Amino acid sequence: MLVALLLVIIFLGIATFLFYLEKRINKAEKKLKELESVKNQENKQ
């Protein structure tokens, strides 16, 4: 019983961390795309 509870806690911790990481990666990708579009607009001018 204790081992199962411990495994559930560890699994939830890992899942939470991956969700947090996914949000940060998505935010970084959006920022990168914005910077690339600004750079491309500057190069066209």
Side-chain angles (χ1 to χ4, degrees), residues 3-42:
V3 174
L5 182 63
L6 191 60
L7 287 174
V8 168
I9 291 171
I10 290 171
F11 177 76
L12 288 175
I14 291 172
T16 302
F17 173 71
L18 290 176
F19 181 74
Y20 168 74
L21 203 58
E22 179 75 21
K23 285 179 67 173
R24 285 192 56 175
I25 289 171
N26 286 339
K27 189 185 283 187
E29 286 177 343
K30 280 183 183 179
K31 191 160 192 152
L32 182 62
K33 285 180 184 178
E34 288 176 11
L35 290 174
E36 285 176 344
S37 66
V38 168
K39 187 176 179 183
N40 287 339
Q41 288 175 357
E42 288 176 354

